[in-house]
Structure formats: C-alpha cells, structure tokens
C-alpha cells in the first residue's frame, strides 16, 4: 500500500503552496508600497483622481513604466510619445516572459496569463530562483504575484488619498522615486562586470543625449544604444 502521508509531504496542498508564495513575496510588498505611494501622490499632482491612479496601478503593475509615463505627461509629451517610451522601457518583460515560459509548460492558458500579468522585475527574480531550486509551481508563483500586486496597489491608494494632505510632493523628493527604483533594480540584478559595464554605458548615453535631444528620445535611445554595445562586446 502506498504511503499517502509521504505523498502529501512531497506535494503540499495548493493553499499551502500559495501561502508559501505570499511569504516569498513579502519583501516585494514592502518595497512596492512606498514607491506605489509616490506614484499615487505624483499622479494626483498631475490631475488624476484617486480612482484613476488606483486603476492605473491595478491594471498595469509596471512601476518604472508608470513613473516614466508620469514624468513624460508632466513634461507635456504627446500621448504617442508616452506610449512608445513606456513600451520600450517594458520590452524587458518579453525576455522575462521567454525565460519563465519554460517553467510554465503544461499550465492552462489562464494560469499562464495570470503569471504574465504579475510578471515584474522582482517577481521574476524570486520565481526564477525558486524554479531553479525545484520548489516553484503555479500556486507559489501566484502567491508571489498576488502579494506584489497588493503592495503596489495598496501603496498607490494610500498615496492617492493622502495627496491633498501632503500637498506639494516635491517637498519630500518623490521625484527621485524613479531613479531610486532603477538604482535598486540595478544593484539587485548586476551579477557581473558585463552588467555593470552596460549600466555605465547606458548612463553615459543618457547624459550625452539628454544634452542634445528632447524628452523622451534620450530615454529611448540610451538603453537601445547600451544594449547594442553590450551585445557586440560580449558576443
């Protein structure tokens, strides 16, 4: 007779695996909440209602892309420029999705779609590491995604509703939220000298192009140029 107790220990129920994902994603929640609050405050300063700010975060979950969009809107960029720039910034998710797809083989389309919706830099890092350790499945990855989404939306809601009481958000340096977010992502993802070199090249391109090109073109061309140089040098 098979040992059912051993099987249950080898494969915990879905609820336990989901709860484990929530625990793995708790640091993401703690990191997303304050940046989401900054997004909510800045969005309100640009004329968004609390509902509109929350819907933006609830349906997009693209922290860096959303902050860049606000920066462009504040600078008077056209809708086409905003869409194009955020699309370029978020192109990295195509690569993240391709890497994660090998761990989603056999999942129903609705489960793959949910994981794709909650795919961010941080959830990718947590889930890909958990997959390499052989522990991840849909339920654990879903737990990571849910708590990450909750942190971003909850932070946005807090910032949006508190914006009037806070007043001018620039007094608190919230305009630094975007560069701070990218800096944190760089530190977390720079694994070797090639990554550091690519970041330095991108920074050099951005500074040089910013002096000669208007928004948002230097934001678009700098990462493309740095990625091209990195690809050629590390071929």
């Amino acid at each position: 007779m098979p040992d059912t107790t051993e099987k249950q220990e080898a494969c915990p129920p879905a609820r336990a695996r989901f709860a484990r994902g929530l625990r793995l994603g708790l640091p993401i929640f703690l990191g997303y909440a304050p940046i989401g609050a900054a997004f909510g405050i800045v969005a309100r300063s640009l004329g968004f209602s609390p509902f509109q700010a929350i819907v933006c975060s609830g349906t997009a979950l693209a922290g860096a892309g959303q902050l860049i969009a606000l920066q462009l809107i504040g600078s008077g960029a056209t809708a086409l420029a905003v869409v194009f720039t955020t699309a370029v910034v978020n192109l990295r998710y195509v690569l993240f999705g391709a890497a994660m797809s090998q761990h989603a083989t056999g999942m129903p389309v609705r489960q793959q779609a949910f994981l794709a919706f909650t795919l961010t830099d941080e959830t990718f890092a947590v889930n890909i590491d958990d997959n390499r350790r052989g522990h991840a499945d849909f339920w654990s990855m879903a737990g990571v995604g849910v708590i990450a989404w909750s942190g971003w939306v909850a932070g946005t809601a807090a910032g949006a509703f508190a914006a009037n009481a806070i007043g001018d958000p620039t007094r608190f340096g919230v305009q630094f939220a975007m560069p701070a977010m990218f800096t944190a992502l760089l530190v977390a993802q720079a694994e070797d000298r090639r990554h550091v070199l690519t970041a330095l090249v991108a920074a050099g391109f951005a500074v040089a192009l910013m002096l000669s090109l208007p928004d948002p073109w230097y934001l678009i061309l700098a990462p493309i140029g740095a990625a091209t140089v990195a690809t050629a040098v590390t071929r």
Side-chain angles (χ1 to χ4, degrees):
M1 180 180 293
D3 188 344
T4 56
T5 302
E6 182 178 337
K7 286 186 177 180
Q8 289 177 354
E9 291 179 355
C11 185
R15 182 180 298 179
R17 285 174 278 159
F18 183 79
R20 178 177 171 276
L22 294 177
R23 292 193 298 271
L24 288 176
L26 181 58
I28 302 177
F29 178 96
L30 298 176
Y32 277 6
I35 300 178
F39 173 82
I41 294 170
V42 175
R44 289 298 308 280
S45 72
L46 293 176
F48 285 61
S49 69
F51 176 75
Q52 290 171 330
I54 294 170
V55 168
C56 285
S57 289
T59 57
L61 192 57
Q66 289 177 230
L67 289 167
I68 285 176
L70 289 184
Q71 177 182 331
L72 294 174
I73 292 172
S75 66
T78 64
L80 180 62
V82 173
V83 171
F84 185 70
T85 304
T86 53
V88 170
V89 170
N90 290 328
L91 278 177
R92 66 191 186 280
Y93 293 127
V94 176
L95 301 178
F96 289 169
M100 286 298 299
S101 65
Q102 60 184 313
H103 303 294
T105 303
M107 290 183 186
V109 173
R110 64 181 181 277
Q111 293 184 351
Q112 295 186 36
F114 179 80
L115 295 180
F117 171 71
T118 59
L119 181 63
T120 67
D121 302 75
E122 293 77 15
T123 61
F124 171 79
V126 170
N127 287 329
I128 203 71
D129 180 69
D130 206 32
N131 271 292
R132 288 170 180 168
R133 297 173 186 271
H135 301 313
D137 66 356
F138 167 75
W139 290 107
S140 66
M141 291 190 286
V144 173
V146 165
I147 196 168
W149 180 89
S150 300
W152 183 247
V153 175
T156 298
F161 283 111
N164 289 336
I166 292 173
D168 182 9
T170 60
R171 294 182 301 155
F172 305 98
V174 295
Q175 67 270 28
F176 187 66
M178 184 176 65
M181 185 178 195
F182 275 114
T183 301
L185 293 176
L186 172 62
V187 172
Q189 297 182 21
E191 299 176 349
D192 52 39
R193 293 180 179 178
R194 292 176 302 169
H195 295 163
V196 175
L197 176 62
T198 304
L200 293 175
V201 171
F205 278 155
V207 172
L209 294 173
M210 181 175 62
L211 299 175
S212 56
L213 294 176
D215 288 342
W217 295 108
Y218 74 91
L219 292 173
I220 298 171
L221 296 177
I224 293 176
T228 302
V229 171
T231 301
V233 171
T234 62
R235 184 181 298 275

